[in-house]
């Protein structure tokens, strides 16, 4: 691989944008996943619970291009929501880096939700009930009892959400496109580099995303201090 063939001015924008999208989407998806997992764990059995959980997990098994197409229909300029966003912010959400955030949140949500759901399922409810019997409200029970017990699951869910958002390709390409310097992430940059025969750039982006993903997964395996 010839170092002269690598344009470092082209290298950095997809790196920065991918980290930006992955970080913001992981924060949003962990909040959504935490709320959904806590709600489903507290509601117990109810009619339609299996259907609700199936819908929540659906993006995990759908092809990313299908997810991207559905998001394009829901958020496009012809949809009421897309028009509303364009009126508020003066520009459409599709083919913007925010569209990449939305795509990353949707595809990462099932992984985050499932990880947190298992964490809540492992909590001994007798401990929570003991806190309530001592006068703690639901927020205090969650903050001082439940959350410390699920912290390992919370950390794993956040890192998995970050890694999934970082590597998202299909849905992102459908709804955000591949605009250099604006919506081009590492996966889309690699695809274009390979398609155009620019293998040195493809290699440096590939090595970068492997390194970032490896570090995030390494953190997942670390024990809490």
């Amino acid at each position: 691989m010839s170092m002269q063939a690598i344009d470092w001015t082209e290298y950095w924008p997809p790196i920065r944008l991918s980290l930006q999208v992955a970080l913001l989407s992981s924060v949003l998806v962990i909040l959504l996943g935490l709320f959904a997992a806590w709600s489903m764990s507290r509601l117990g059995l109810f009619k339609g619970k299996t259907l609700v959980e199936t819908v929540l997990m659906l993006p995990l098994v759908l092809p990313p291009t299908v997810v991207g197409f559905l998001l394009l229909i829901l958020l496009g300029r012809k949809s009421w929501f897309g028009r509303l966003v364009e009126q508020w912010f003066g520009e459409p959400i599709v083919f913007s880096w925010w569209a990449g955030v939305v795509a990353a949140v949707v595809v990462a949500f099932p992984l985050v939700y499932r990880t947190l759901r298992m964490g809540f399922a492992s909590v001994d409810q007798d401990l929570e009930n003991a806190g309530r019997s001592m006068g703690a409200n639901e927020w205090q029970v969650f903050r001082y009892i439940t959350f410390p017990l699920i912290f390992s699951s919370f950390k794993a869910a956040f890192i998995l959400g970050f890694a999934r958002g970082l590597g998202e390709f299909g849905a992102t390409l459908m709804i955000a496109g591949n605009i250099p310097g604006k919506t081009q992430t590492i996966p889309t940059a690699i695809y274009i580099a390979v398609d155009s025969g620019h293998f040195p750039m493809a290699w440096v982006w590939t090595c970068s995303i492997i390194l970032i993903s490896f570090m995030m997964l390494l953190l997942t395996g670390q024990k809490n201090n």
Side-chain angles (χ1 to χ4, degrees):
M1 180 172 61
S2 173
M3 297 302 292
Q4 287 76 13
I6 298 175
D7 186 348
W8 295 103
T9 61
E10 293 183 7
Y11 168 79
W12 287 110
I15 298 290
R16 288 194 296 267
L17 182 61
S18 290
L19 292 175
Q20 179 178 323
V21 168
L23 181 59
L24 182 55
S25 65
S26 60
V27 171
L28 294 175
V29 77
I30 196 69
L31 293 176
L32 293 172
L34 193 64
F35 175 77
W38 180 84
S39 299
M40 295 299 288
S41 66
R42 292 300 176 267
L43 288 175
L45 292 176
F46 64 89
K47 187 176 181 180
K49 183 176 183 179
T50 301
L51 178 62
V52 172
E53 292 206 304
T54 300
V55 171
L56 294 177
M57 295 297 296
L58 195 57
L60 184 65
V61 295
L62 286 176
T65 50
V66 173
V67 175
F69 174 72
L70 294 175
L71 288 175
L72 191 61
I73 297 299
L74 291 173
L75 304 178
R77 304 182 76 171
K78 293 184 179 180
S79 70
W80 69 267
F81 185 78
R83 290 194 297 267
L84 184 62
V85 170
E86 189 169 358
Q87 289 176 0
W88 282 353
F89 298 100
E91 61 180 15
I93 189 171
V94 294
F95 302 114
S96 69
W97 75 273
W98 278 103
V101 173
V102 173
V105 168
V106 172
V107 298
F109 179 84
L111 287 174
V112 172
Y113 169 77
R114 186 176 182 180
T115 304
L116 292 171
R117 187 77 174 84
M118 290 188 294
F120 281 112
S122 67
V123 174
D124 187 348
Q125 293 189 5
D126 289 339
L127 295 175
E128 295 178 320
N129 292 330
R132 295 186 184 99
S133 68
M134 297 176 66
N137 57 38
E138 289 302 315
W139 166 246
Q140 290 172 325
V141 170
F142 177 81
R143 179 180 178 184
Y144 296 109
I145 299 175
T146 308
F147 187 72
L149 292 174
I150 68 161
F151 183 73
S152 295
S153 297
F154 178 85
K155 184 177 71 171
F158 180 85
I159 294 174
L160 287 174
F162 182 94
R164 185 66 185 87
L166 184 69
E168 166 51 32
F169 173 73
T172 300
L173 188 62
M174 289 287 291
I175 191 174
N178 181 48
I179 307 172
K182 184 178 180 182
T183 65
Q184 188 180 67
T185 59
I186 301 175
T188 56
I190 293 172
Y191 175 80
I192 295 300
V194 172
D195 189 57
S196 62
H198 201 342
F199 286 93
M201 290 300 299
W203 267 114
V204 294
W205 279 319
T206 298
C207 292
S208 298
I209 200 169
I210 289 174
L211 178 61
I212 296 170
S213 300
F214 176 81
M215 294 301 296
M216 298 304 295
L217 291 175
L218 188 63
L219 290 174
T220 307
Q222 290 182 351
K223 295 182 178 179
N224 296 323
N225 293 325

